Protein backbone atom coordinates (compact mmCIF):
# COMPACT_ATOMS: atom_id res chain seq x y z
CA UNK A 1 0.00 0.00 0.00
CA UNK A 2 1.15 3.52 -0.70
CA UNK A 3 0.92 5.65 2.44
CA UNK A 4 0.89 9.44 2.54
CA UNK A 5 1.77 10.73 6.00
CA UNK A 6 0.53 14.32 6.05
CA UNK A 7 0.87 16.73 8.95
CA UNK A 8 -2.02 19.08 9.67
CA UNK A 9 -1.82 22.78 8.83
CA UNK A 10 -0.72 25.43 11.30
CA UNK A 11 -2.61 26.34 14.42
CA UNK A 12 -2.19 29.35 16.65
CA UNK A 13 -0.27 27.17 19.10
CA UNK A 14 2.09 26.05 16.33
CA UNK A 15 2.76 29.68 15.39
CA UNK A 16 3.50 30.47 19.03
CA UNK A 17 5.71 27.34 19.34
CA UNK A 18 3.57 25.84 22.09
CA UNK A 19 3.21 22.16 22.96
CA UNK A 20 -0.13 21.42 21.34
CA UNK A 21 -0.90 17.74 21.79
CA UNK A 22 -4.22 17.00 23.44
CA UNK A 23 -5.50 20.56 22.98
CA UNK A 24 -8.15 20.46 20.26
CA UNK A 25 -7.10 23.56 18.36
CA UNK A 26 -8.49 24.47 14.93
CA UNK A 27 -6.33 25.71 12.07
CA UNK A 28 -5.43 29.38 12.24
CA UNK A 29 -6.08 31.67 9.23
CA UNK A 30 -2.41 31.37 8.17
CA UNK A 31 -2.71 27.59 8.31
CA UNK A 32 -5.80 27.54 6.10
CA UNK A 33 -4.21 30.00 3.68
CA UNK A 34 -1.00 27.93 3.39
CA UNK A 35 -3.03 24.81 2.53
CA UNK A 36 -5.11 26.59 -0.13
CA UNK A 37 -2.47 26.09 -2.83
CA UNK A 38 -1.42 22.57 -1.85
CA UNK A 39 -2.22 19.74 -4.22
CA UNK A 40 -2.71 16.62 -2.16
CA UNK A 41 -1.51 13.26 -3.46
CA UNK A 42 -4.28 11.07 -4.86
CA UNK A 43 -5.66 8.70 -2.25
CA UNK A 44 -8.36 6.06 -2.15
CA UNK A 45 -9.00 6.54 1.57
CA UNK A 46 -8.40 9.37 4.04
CA UNK A 47 -7.71 8.62 7.69
CA UNK A 48 -7.55 11.37 10.29
CA UNK A 49 -6.78 11.99 13.92
CA UNK A 50 -9.91 13.02 15.83
CA UNK A 51 -8.42 16.47 16.46
CA UNK A 52 -10.06 19.43 14.68
CA UNK A 53 -6.81 20.58 13.07
CA UNK A 54 -6.44 17.24 11.26
CA UNK A 55 -10.08 17.01 10.20
CA UNK A 56 -9.98 20.58 8.87
CA UNK A 57 -6.75 19.92 6.98
CA UNK A 58 -8.19 16.75 5.42
CA UNK A 59 -11.33 18.64 4.35
CA UNK A 60 -9.15 21.24 2.60
CA UNK A 61 -6.81 18.70 0.97
CA UNK A 62 -9.45 16.07 0.13
CA UNK A 63 -12.73 17.96 -0.30
CA UNK A 64 -15.73 15.69 -0.56
CA UNK A 65 -13.88 12.55 0.53
CA UNK A 66 -15.10 10.63 3.52
CA UNK A 67 -12.72 10.90 6.48
CA UNK A 68 -12.30 7.90 8.74
CA UNK A 69 -11.42 9.08 12.25
CA UNK A 70 -8.77 6.92 13.94
CA UNK A 71 -8.60 7.71 17.68
CA UNK A 72 -5.18 6.05 17.96
CA UNK A 73 -3.69 8.68 15.65
CA UNK A 74 -4.17 11.56 18.11
CA UNK A 75 -1.10 13.54 19.16
CA UNK A 76 0.90 12.94 22.34
CA UNK A 77 -0.64 14.21 25.56
CA UNK A 78 2.01 16.56 26.93
CA UNK A 79 0.37 16.69 30.37
CA UNK A 80 1.41 19.73 32.42
CA UNK A 81 3.60 20.96 29.53
CA UNK A 82 0.54 21.27 27.27
CA UNK A 83 -0.01 24.79 25.96
CA UNK A 84 3.37 26.08 27.14
CA UNK A 85 6.48 27.12 25.23
CA UNK A 86 10.10 26.18 25.80
CA UNK A 87 10.72 29.65 27.21
CA UNK A 88 7.93 29.22 29.75
CA UNK A 89 9.17 25.77 30.80
CA UNK A 90 12.96 25.97 30.50
CA UNK A 91 13.58 26.42 34.24
CA UNK A 92 11.12 23.70 35.32
CA UNK A 93 13.13 20.70 36.65
CA UNK A 94 10.52 18.21 35.41
CA UNK A 95 10.70 19.72 31.93
CA UNK A 96 14.53 19.70 31.94
CA UNK A 97 14.49 16.02 32.95
CA UNK A 98 11.97 15.25 30.18
CA UNK A 99 14.17 17.00 27.60
CA UNK A 100 17.33 15.33 28.89
CA UNK A 101 15.61 11.96 28.42
CA UNK A 102 14.63 12.87 24.82
CA UNK A 103 10.95 12.69 25.78
CA UNK A 104 11.05 8.97 26.60
CA UNK A 105 9.47 9.36 30.04
CA UNK A 106 5.97 10.71 30.38
CA UNK A 107 5.68 14.39 31.23
CA UNK A 108 3.75 14.96 34.48
CA UNK A 109 0.16 13.94 33.75
CA UNK A 110 0.96 13.04 30.12
CA UNK A 111 2.08 10.16 27.91
CA UNK A 112 5.54 8.66 27.50
CA UNK A 113 6.94 7.79 24.11
CA UNK A 114 6.38 4.02 24.52
CA UNK A 115 2.69 4.48 25.34
CA UNK A 116 2.31 6.71 22.28
CA UNK A 117 4.18 4.18 20.16
CA UNK A 118 1.92 1.32 21.20
CA UNK A 119 -1.23 3.37 20.56
CA UNK A 120 -0.14 4.75 17.17
CA UNK A 121 1.43 1.58 15.78
CA UNK A 122 -1.53 -0.54 16.91
CA UNK A 123 -3.92 1.79 15.08
CA UNK A 124 -1.74 1.74 11.96
CA UNK A 125 -1.40 -2.04 11.88
CA UNK A 126 -5.18 -2.43 12.15
CA UNK A 127 -5.63 -0.01 9.25
CA UNK A 128 -2.89 -1.61 7.11
CA UNK A 129 -4.47 -5.06 7.52
CA UNK A 130 -7.51 -3.77 5.59
CA UNK A 131 -5.51 -2.68 2.52
CA UNK A 132 -3.90 -4.35 -0.44
CA UNK A 133 -0.67 -3.47 -2.22
CA UNK A 134 -2.33 -1.19 -4.81
CA UNK A 135 -4.29 0.90 -2.29
CA UNK A 136 -3.38 4.52 -1.54
CA UNK A 137 -4.07 5.77 1.99
CA UNK A 138 -3.66 9.35 3.19
CA UNK A 139 -3.17 9.79 6.93
CA UNK A 140 -3.78 13.39 7.97
CA UNK A 141 -2.29 13.40 11.42
CA UNK A 142 0.26 15.08 13.72
CA UNK A 143 4.02 15.50 13.55
CA UNK A 144 4.47 13.21 16.55
CA UNK A 145 2.24 10.55 15.00
CA UNK A 146 4.24 10.63 11.77
CA UNK A 147 7.57 10.52 13.61
CA UNK A 148 6.35 7.61 15.72
CA UNK A 149 5.23 5.59 12.68
CA UNK A 150 8.46 6.14 10.77
CA UNK A 151 10.63 5.44 13.81
CA UNK A 152 8.74 2.18 14.38
CA UNK A 153 8.45 0.92 10.81
CA UNK A 154 11.26 2.53 8.75
CA UNK A 155 14.60 0.73 8.97
CA UNK A 156 16.67 3.63 10.38
CA UNK A 157 14.45 4.01 13.48
CA UNK A 158 15.44 7.69 13.84
CA UNK A 159 12.57 9.57 15.51
CA UNK A 160 13.70 13.18 15.06
CA UNK A 161 14.66 12.78 11.38
CA UNK A 162 11.00 12.51 10.39
CA UNK A 163 9.46 15.75 11.69
CA UNK A 164 7.57 17.37 8.80
CA UNK A 165 6.53 21.03 8.69
CA UNK A 166 2.87 21.90 9.01
CA UNK A 167 1.15 20.84 5.80
CA UNK A 168 4.15 18.70 4.80
CA UNK A 169 4.76 15.00 4.95
CA UNK A 170 6.09 11.82 3.42
CA UNK A 171 5.16 9.28 0.76
CA UNK A 172 6.13 5.69 1.44
CA UNK A 173 5.23 2.06 0.73
CA UNK A 174 3.97 -0.35 3.37
CA UNK A 175 5.47 -3.71 2.50
CA UNK A 176 6.51 -6.72 4.56
CA UNK A 177 5.99 -4.89 7.87
CA UNK A 178 8.09 -1.85 7.00
CA UNK A 179 7.63 1.61 5.56
CA UNK A 180 9.97 1.80 2.55
CA UNK A 181 10.99 4.20 -0.18
CA UNK A 182 10.25 7.22 2.00
CA UNK A 183 10.11 10.46 -0.03
CA UNK A 184 9.42 13.98 1.14
CA UNK A 185 6.23 15.49 -0.25
Amino acid sequence: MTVFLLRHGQTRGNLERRYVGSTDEPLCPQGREALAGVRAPEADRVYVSPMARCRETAALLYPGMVQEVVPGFRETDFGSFEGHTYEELKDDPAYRAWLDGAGAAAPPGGEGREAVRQRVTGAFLALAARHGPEDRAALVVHGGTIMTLLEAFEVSHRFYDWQPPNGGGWRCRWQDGTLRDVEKL
Side-chain angles (χ1 to χ4, degrees):
M1 149 177 80
T2 300
V3 180
F4 304 106
L5 301 170
L6 305 168
R7 185 176 178 202
H8 62 79
Q10 279 188 324
T11 67
R12 181 173 168 222
N14 294 145
L15 289 173
E16 295 172 354
R17 304 187 58 79
R18 296 185 180 283
Y19 286 97
V20 181
S22 61
T23 303
D24 198 11
E25 254 188 4
L27 297 178
C28 65
Q30 297 93 321
R32 283 190 286 285
E33 184 178 312
L35 292 171
V38 173
R39 181 167 178 197
E42 285 191 38
D44 304 309
R45 298 291 302 265
V46 176
Y47 299 95
V48 296
S49 157
M51 308 306 278
R53 56 196 182 266
C54 295
R55 291 182 285 111
E56 286 182 49
T57 299
L60 292 168
L61 295 178
Y62 295 99
M65 285 190 74
V66 173
Q67 299 177 19
E68 185 173 330
V69 175
V70 180
F73 287 162
R74 70 185 185 282
E75 181 61 287
T76 301
D77 181 345
F78 293 109
S80 65
F81 304 152
E82 187 76 25
H84 295 283
T85 66
Y86 169 82
E87 285 299 317
E88 294 168 349
L89 294 168
K90 68 182 179 184
D91 296 323
D92 179 332
Y95 180 68
R96 297 297 323 161
W98 183 69
L99 286 181
D100 290 345
E111 287 181 288
R113 191 176 304 161
E114 186 55 34
V116 172
R117 180 183 170 108
Q118 288 179 19
R119 173 174 49 80
V120 169
T121 59
F124 179 78
L125 289 171
L127 174 156
R130 301 175 10 210
H131 288 278
E134 299 306 314
D135 292 338
R136 298 168 299 175
L139 280 60
V140 183
V141 294
H142 308 276
T145 304
I146 292 169
M147 293 160 64
T148 297
L149 286 169
L150 286 167
E151 178 191 40
F153 296 122
E154 195 274 338
V155 296
S156 72
H157 304 295
R158 295 181 312 239
F159 184 78
Y160 291 104
D161 288 353
W162 302 114
Q163 185 170 9
N166 290 104
W170 307 96
R171 170 188 294 120
C172 45
R173 295 262 328 139
W174 175 251
Q175 186 178 4
D176 300 326
T178 61
L179 290 169
R180 308 164 179 251
D181 306 322
V182 180
E183 296 176 356
K184 191 174 192 171
L185 292 171

